[in-house]
Amino acid sequence: MTVAMHPTDALANELHGLTVPALLRRRAAQRRHHLALSAPSYSGHRDRLSYVQLVIRMEAMARSLHARGLLAGDRVALLLANTAAREGVLTALGCWALGAAVAPLNVRAADEELGHALQLVAPSIVVTTTESAARVAALHPEARCLLLDAPAGSADRWPDPQHSFDAPLPEAPAPRAEDLSCLLFTSGTTARAKAVMHCHRSQVFAGLAVGGGVGLAADDTYQGAWPIFTSSVLNMACMAAWVHGAGVVLEENTLDNAGRLRLIETEGTSVYHGVTAPLHFMIDEYVRGGYDLSRVRRLGYGGAVMPAEVIAKFSRHLPWVDQVHIWGMTETGPAGTYLPPWYLPRKAGCIGGPMPGCAVRVVNDEGRPLATGEVGEIVFAGPSAALGYLHNEAATAQAFVDGWVHTGDMGRLDDEGHLHFVDRKKDIINRGGLKIASAAVEEVLYRCPGVAEAAVVAVPHPGLGEDIAACVVPREGATLDLAALRAACTRHLADYQVPRRWHVLAALPKNPMGKVLKRELRDAVLQLPPAELPASPAHTAGHTS
């Protein structure tokens, strides 16, 4: 009997042992003048680079960073918005060519959160803007800032690789596939975010898995509204495109839905990928008319379960476009599972089977696989899995067990082997695709005068999927000023982490061990009218995310 090799198996064999720079050099030889990257620049233009041009910029970036003292094993932090996605990606490529690691940080983070991230990563260089440099200097003065907007000729100006070709590269061993390459922050049940460690191997194989799940081919242009500080840009979007020889289009964070649709038109995007809430708003804008999406062949989404009625809405207005649902998390690559389009609409709400090169199980608290239909924790295995958490051996030992990543998500497998997401084991709120640790919000509330107890839960939101409800119990004899509590959250948290719904309660439901019963609390909150507060400054300014 003759057994043919699946195309994904052949690609996996090609990727074995490759670093990201080695992958790009190989693609440059194969796909020389095809689009590799389209990204907005801080200077206001959009840069469109072929594979050959991207490799030239990568090597020029490496030379310039080395000339400024960066060495293999060092770490560089990116404190940039998506309006500077070009500069962020090129900096990352230069780091990887040198054997250094990159850590994209959340430019919207409060000082407390940002300070924690900087202290944990301990970067030798932070690439940012003058506006953010003062924050970095106060929170982590050991780091040197390279500024996108420093005066020309300044020693602190970010070295644009478009103008840097002459500095020599160091004579040092080439980076290896298992070398640390990327530090990505993820929310958890603890207030402090953890830094997930990825290497070249896990990044490249995340691209194999996600690209295979989404269905990318070499002639595709892959676009999405991915925040640069998450795993979605460097590990998912770029790697999925480059592994499969496709082009990736990164969006400005300032784009509205009309702007996204116009960019799809001008870039000739064939595969669009986003989280469920923005896609819902995008289709409403598309229905208003005036947009040509005839070249889009596939729509990918994840971050939350897509409601069946929205899937039907996409099919009604874009009947030529396939839909695919993917699930993953930072620790897994973010590889995971996918539901191919031929299962829709029959299995709407299901998150599918393993992506190429991946395995998933549903296990009990002892780690034993459960039978079909039984609810347990989802665990993941595959070459895209992270190395662990930086400087957190206890959390690493708990989450990474015998080659399996314990995701903290609860699910069940059906009789076709497909995974259904049931609930979150960890108390994470998924607000429009942005993950919020309830413990981080609760920690701020507990610091406020007059608060005896606090608990934060997710409540349904028609556009974002979930929103944040804060439940507070006053100390005896105290009267709580909810506007002051919201102001405290605004000072210490990112804007999207600030609760929008508030409840003052006499007590929180608890079990005999004193643990807050959040499912019961959530059910109770949904039956109560929220307290009325004056519009916050963020709402007045029109911020909704």
Side-chain angles (χ1 to χ4, degrees):
M1 180 178 70
T2 301
V3 178
M5 179 176 287
H6 189 278
T8 303
D9 296 332
L11 188 51
N13 288 339
E14 178 196 5
L15 298 177
H16 181 71
L18 288 186
T19 61
V20 176
L23 169 68
L24 284 176
R25 293 184 184 107
R26 183 168 295 191
R27 292 292 175 265
Q30 299 163 336
R31 308 274 300 159
R32 295 183 58 80
H33 303 300
H34 291 268
L35 177 70
L37 173 69
S38 172
S41 170
Y42 183 79
S43 63
H45 73 283
R46 174 167 285 273
D47 207 0
R48 302 184 82 254
L49 299 172
S50 70
Y51 275 97
V52 166
Q53 290 171 320
L54 190 62
V55 169
I56 291 171
R57 299 289 191 275
M58 173 182 72
E59 294 178 346
M61 190 81 245
R63 288 192 291 268
S64 295
L65 290 173
H66 178 249
R68 284 155 180 78
L70 191 69
L71 301 174
D74 287 344
R75 298 169 190 161
V76 173
L78 306 176
L79 188 59
L80 301 170
N82 269 50
T83 46
R86 168 192 180 266
E87 289 77 8
V89 172
L90 293 180
T91 299
L93 291 177
C95 289
W96 296 335
L98 284 175
V102 65
L105 304 181
N106 185 357
V107 73
R108 295 166 63 182
D111 281 352
E112 186 173 339
E113 179 185 352
L114 179 60
H116 163 69
L118 288 167
Q119 293 297 323
L120 185 60
V121 171
S124 55
I125 292 174
V126 178
V127 175
T128 188
T129 62
T130 300
E131 182 181 5
S132 297
R135 297 179 69 199
V136 175
L139 296 170
H140 191 67
E142 299 89 343
R144 175 188 180 184
C145 285
L146 293 180
L147 308 178
L148 304 187
D149 54 349
S154 166
D156 293 330
R157 185 177 176 87
W158 178 77
D160 193 322
Q162 187 171 344
H163 312 298
S164 307
F165 296 100
D166 51 357
L169 274 172
E171 293 185 7
R176 299 169 300 176
E178 297 299 319
D179 287 347
L180 178 68
S181 56
C182 201
L183 292 165
L184 298 165
F185 279 85
T186 182
S187 296
T189 52
T190 59
R192 294 296 191 188
K194 300 186 287 293
V196 180
M197 299 185 292
H198 277 280
C199 61
H200 292 267
R201 179 259 306 156
S202 62
Q203 288 190 275
V204 167
F205 277 91
L208 174 71
V210 176
V214 173
L216 290 182
D219 57 355
D220 277 321
T221 302
Y222 183 38
Q223 179 182 331
W226 305 293
I228 194 170
F229 65 85
T230 69
S231 61
S232 300
V233 170
L234 295 179
N235 274 31
M236 188 186 77
C238 291
M239 294 304 133
W242 297 340
V243 164
H244 292 85
V248 62
V249 178
L250 305 179
E251 295 180 2
E252 300 90 335
N253 53 294
T254 54
L255 285 183
D256 58 12
N257 292 315
R260 290 191 179 98
L261 292 167
R262 285 193 292 268
L263 187 61
I264 290 172
E265 283 187 280
T266 57
E267 290 286 352
T269 297
S270 56
V271 179
Y272 191 88
H273 191 164
V275 295
T276 53
L279 287 174
H280 192 181
F281 299 138
M282 279 179 64
I283 195 67
D284 289 341
E285 176 62 30
Y286 171 76
V287 170
R288 295 186 182 99
Y291 305 99
D292 178 10
L293 301 189
S294 59
R295 285 177 286 187
V296 178
R297 67 174 185 85
R298 179 157 291 183
L299 181 66
Y301 41 77
V305 173
M306 182 67 81
E309 59 270 22
V310 180
I311 292 173
K313 189 176 183 179
F314 289 148
S315 297
R316 187 166 62 252
H317 293 291
L318 301 169
W320 65 92
V321 176
D322 289 337
Q323 299 180 50
V324 59
H325 194 149
I326 77 164
W327 168 88
M329 59 190 298
T330 303
E331 289 89 337
T332 63
T337 64
Y338 74 111
L339 184 71
W342 47 88
Y343 286 104
L344 292 172
R346 179 171 67 89
K347 302 197 77 168
C350 173
I351 57 176
M355 291 177 181
C358 303
V360 293
R361 288 178 178 171
V362 176
V363 302
N364 62 16
D365 290 340
E366 288 73 44
R368 289 193 292 271
L370 294 173
T372 298
E374 291 189 273
V375 174
E377 185 178 9
I378 302 168
V379 296
F380 168 94
S384 64
L387 302 174
Y389 299 113
L390 180 67
H391 302 322
N392 196 334
E393 294 182 3
T396 298
Q398 185 176 15
F400 297 83
V401 181
D402 296 330
W404 292 90
V405 180
H406 287 247
T407 68
D409 286 345
M410 306 297 284
R412 61 177 175 82
L413 290 169
D414 64 23
D415 55 7
E416 293 181 285
H418 288 150
L419 192 62
H420 294 254
F421 177 81
V422 174
D423 201 354
R424 289 181 179 83
K425 191 174 182 180
K426 304 172 184 177
D427 292 324
I428 299 296
I429 298 167
N430 188 340
R431 187 174 186 276
L434 294 172
K435 306 293 178 65
I436 300 151
S438 61
V441 185
E442 290 162 1
E443 184 185 64
V444 172
L445 293 174
Y446 269 110
R447 298 182 206 164
C448 297
V451 174
E453 293 183 294
V456 171
V457 295
V459 292
H461 187 284
L464 297 170
E466 290 180 347
D467 211 342
I468 312 167
C471 304
V472 288
V473 177
R475 294 185 183 277
E476 188 174 353
T479 300
L480 293 177
D481 181 348
L482 295 182
L485 297 186
R486 183 178 62 189
C489 290
T490 301
R491 287 194 301 273
H492 296 290
L493 300 167
D495 53 358
Y496 60 83
Q497 296 173 307
V498 177
R500 307 297 176 92
R501 181 169 176 152
W502 295 82
H503 297 271
V504 178
L505 304 177
L508 300 178
K510 298 174 185 174
N511 67 11
M513 299 298 293
K515 180 178 174 60
V516 175
L517 299 172
K518 289 203 169 181
R519 183 174 294 184
E520 290 186 14
L521 179 61
R522 187 181 303 115
D523 292 342
V525 161
L526 293 177
Q527 306 302 316
L528 298 173
E532 294 185 7
L533 278 75
S536 68
H539 290 163
T540 304
H543 295 292
T544 59
S545 61

